[in-house]
Amino acid sequence: MIDRCLQARLKNALEPEWEARFEGSSYGFRPGRRQHDAVARIYLLARPHQRKKWVVDADIAGAFDAISQDHILAAIGSFPGRQLIKQWLKAGYVEDGIWHETLTGTGQGSVISPLLANVALHGMEEALGVHHDKRGQIDGPRAVVRYADDWVVFCESKEDAAAVIATMRAWLAERGLRFSDQKTRIVHLTDGFEFLGFSIRQYPARGPSPTGYKLLIRPSKASVRKLRERLRALWRERRGQPVARLIHDLNPLIRGWANYFRIGVAAETFAHLDTWMYTRAYRYARHRHPKKSWAWRQQRYWGQLHPQRGDHWVFGDPQTGTYLLKFGWFAVRRHVLVRGTASPDDPYLRAYWQRRAAAKAAEHSVKTQQVAQRQGHVCPVCNETLFNDEELHLHHSQARQQGGADTEDNLLLLHLYCHQQLHSTPAQGHHAPQPQRRWLRTWLA
């Protein structure tokens, strides 16, 4: 735990320097950037009227295990925590009681490892000869989009794409890395490729189109298959339990998956998933009540349970009002691409980052959105933005055991670890003491 704290301190010291140097095409494990930004960037590059139609879909073999530690140490130079970082890199690991050396790579699950990996992979644009004009737009025949060790390069010809592989093979070798020959390929946009769970492909346009093609970014078949496997496992595990417990486990998975893929063309996929979920719900009801009629089951588990929708086929518990979310309720919402090389550490962009953080609230439940807005989208414990990709918890200012209501004015939205901090000592019990609650109410006022 002490090492993790020290790594967090060094990360906080090292990150701002590198954030000022990192390329705008890098989106993985960086503050203020996420998968949606990488996909939005690809959308701009893959539109039919663009000239870069050949794609190097690259995959690095065991990137985090094979990165050259000497290259990382050379890159960070004389940073004051260099020796500590060196010790962490070479600390080794224990498996089945046997210690193993770590001569390469960064520690899996380490606090500082993602930053060190980004440091090692920095400079990809320079190696590929990617240039930008004064407005920050790509000015040249190549463009790259990288999310951690997953990246693609857009080229204007197949020959240039082959040259990119040769160039990057030598560039990766300097960092102790190599391509995965089975997963690295050159594809045309009309054949498509997958990136971060999305399928990106140009299709012939049915109606009038200047180019004759249209770009569709949809959930990949592999992503849908994995989701169905997870949902199927939950339906089977909870089929003997009350419907409220089942819905409690299913809704977060539905909400998270739908919010992630709603930035693309997902309406058709969502409709198919809702039909599939109805079949699972029907089987659940039949298993729970094999001797009851269909009309009885329908009245017991289906109804107009969503207060804002006229849908009479919502699965749930009419007695308590608990209902299962539908994928189709999550309308398409385009993601706004992060601006160029903008960094949250830039004081001149404070208002810009506050607006982006507030926009993330739409990915959560209505109650969470209302509480977040009331708090100004700031965690009252650490005074940092709520939406920094940490898990969020709702905290009752007045405990429910003491008569506290589950209403907006009695709720606070906190980061997971900030919430744990309020309950960290035995003297506090399950809920924060009265002085702590008074402080939180004063903060809100």
Side-chain angles (χ1 to χ4, degrees):
M1 291 302 296
I2 292 175
D3 274 337
R4 290 183 67 84
C5 292
L6 287 173
Q7 286 189 26
R9 292 183 65 184
L10 261 66
K11 174 179 177 291
N12 290 341
L14 185 63
E15 191 171 60
E17 173 196 351
W18 281 91
E19 276 298 309
R21 299 164 60 182
F22 281 151
E23 298 156 327
S25 59
S26 168
Y27 298 99
F29 304 115
R30 294 181 57 189
R33 292 165 182 260
R34 55 196 303 195
Q35 296 98 319
H36 287 173
D37 292 300
V39 175
R41 183 60 176 166
I42 286 178
Y43 168 78
L44 295 178
L45 293 169
R47 289 176 295 178
H49 69 275
Q50 299 289 352
R51 297 177 58 184
K52 302 176 181 66
K53 298 186 181 298
W54 290 93
V55 179
V56 178
D57 184 11
D59 185 86
I60 301 175
F64 290 95
D65 294 329
I67 291 177
S68 168
Q69 296 177 354
D70 292 337
H71 179 83
I72 293 175
L73 294 172
I76 63 175
S78 58
F79 175 69
R82 186 177 187 276
Q83 289 302 315
L84 269 178
I85 292 175
K86 181 178 181 179
Q87 292 178 49
W88 288 325
L89 290 173
K90 300 187 178 298
Y93 66 95
V94 176
E95 184 176 12
D96 296 329
I98 301 175
W99 179 79
H100 301 267
E101 286 186 291
T102 49
L103 302 177
T104 61
T106 60
Q108 294 292 332
S110 168
V111 174
I112 203 171
S113 285
L115 174 60
L116 297 180
N118 275 331
V119 168
L121 294 173
H122 173 64
M124 194 172 288
E125 284 192 342
E126 182 180 356
L128 291 169
V130 176
H131 301 287
H132 301 268
D133 59 22
K134 294 181 179 179
R135 298 178 301 167
Q137 303 297 321
I138 297 291
D139 183 18
R142 296 174 178 174
V144 61
V145 178
R146 181 172 70 86
Y147 187 89
D149 62 330
D150 197 359
W151 48 280
V152 291
V153 182
F154 289 80
C155 306
E156 295 184 1
S157 67
K158 188 175 183 180
E159 292 73 20
D160 189 42
V164 163
I165 291 181
T167 299
M168 294 310 297
R169 197 182 300 277
W171 187 83
L172 290 172
E174 296 175 1
R175 290 152 176 78
L177 302 171
R178 62 181 179 83
F179 283 120
S180 172
D181 294 330
Q182 294 78 15
K183 297 181 180 180
T184 300
R185 60 196 184 114
I186 298 174
V187 297
H188 195 272
L189 281 172
T190 54
D191 297 322
F193 65 97
E194 294 183 5
F195 190 76
L196 300 179
F198 289 88
S199 172
I200 297 101
R201 185 177 176 183
Q202 289 183 4
Y203 294 84
R206 295 180 180 177
S209 172
T211 63
Y213 288 89
K214 61 179 179 179
L215 172 67
L216 294 182
I217 299 180
R218 303 186 291 193
S220 69
K221 292 181 179 179
S223 298
V224 176
R225 183 175 62 252
K226 290 179 182 178
L227 173 68
R228 287 191 176 186
E229 290 173 356
R230 295 179 63 187
L231 290 171
R232 185 182 292 109
L234 283 174
W235 279 107
R236 289 176 175 174
E237 292 170 5
R238 304 289 185 263
R239 66 179 183 175
Q241 298 184 8
V243 66
R245 174 64 187 277
L246 170 69
I247 293 174
H248 178 270
D249 293 337
L250 287 172
N251 275 350
L253 179 56
I254 295 170
R255 181 183 292 109
W257 200 89
N259 274 322
Y260 181 78
F261 286 103
R262 70 191 301 184
I263 68 166
V265 183
E268 183 178 352
T269 301
F270 287 179
H272 288 315
L273 286 170
D274 283 333
T275 301
W276 184 83
M277 289 290 281
Y278 171 81
T279 303
R280 304 303 307 189
Y282 172 80
R283 292 179 181 176
Y284 170 88
R286 187 178 61 182
H287 179 270
R288 292 274 292 174
H289 310 281
K291 297 182 179 181
K292 297 293 185 179
S293 67
W294 162 240
W296 186 94
R297 295 181 200 139
Q298 177 186 343
Q299 187 177 6
R300 173 66 179 84
Y301 289 107
W302 280 272
Q304 189 177 344
L305 303 181
H306 194 296
Q308 282 82 41
R309 292 183 176 270
D311 189 343
H312 293 273
W313 287 96
V314 179
F315 178 77
D317 185 359
Q319 296 179 355
T320 62
T322 305
Y323 58 87
L324 185 68
L325 295 174
K326 289 189 176 183
F327 290 93
W329 293 347
F330 294 83
V332 172
R333 180 180 289 119
R334 302 305 182 198
H335 179 74
V336 179
L337 177 63
V338 67
R339 186 190 302 171
T341 57
S343 169
D345 295 315
D346 188 342
Y348 296 102
L349 297 177
R350 187 180 303 275
Y352 169 75
W353 287 107
Q354 288 175 345
R355 290 194 301 271
R356 290 189 65 86
K360 292 182 181 180
E363 300 176 3
H364 297 266
S365 66
V366 175
K367 179 181 289 186
T368 300
Q369 294 180 46
Q370 293 170 344
V371 177
Q373 185 176 6
R374 178 170 167 262
Q375 296 176 195
H377 304 99
V378 172
C379 174
V381 175
C382 65
N383 287 325
E384 297 291 336
T385 175
L386 283 167
F387 304 105
N388 60 356
D389 297 326
E390 291 187 48
E391 184 178 342
L392 298 176
H393 279 196
L394 283 170
H395 171 79
H396 290 78
S397 297
Q398 183 178 7
R400 280 177 291 188
Q401 294 91 328
Q402 300 173 0
D406 195 21
T407 56
E408 180 186 339
D409 59 352
N410 190 48
L411 293 173
L412 292 170
L413 192 60
L414 312 174
H415 297 126
L416 165 63
Y417 295 113
C418 294
H419 194 200
Q420 291 179 349
Q421 183 179 339
L422 294 184
H423 308 303
S424 58
T425 63
Q428 290 177 328
H430 182 66
H431 289 273
Q434 191 66 29
Q436 181 70 280
R437 293 201 297 273
R438 284 199 299 268
W439 168 74
L440 290 171
R441 286 198 292 269
T442 302
W443 182 91
L444 284 173

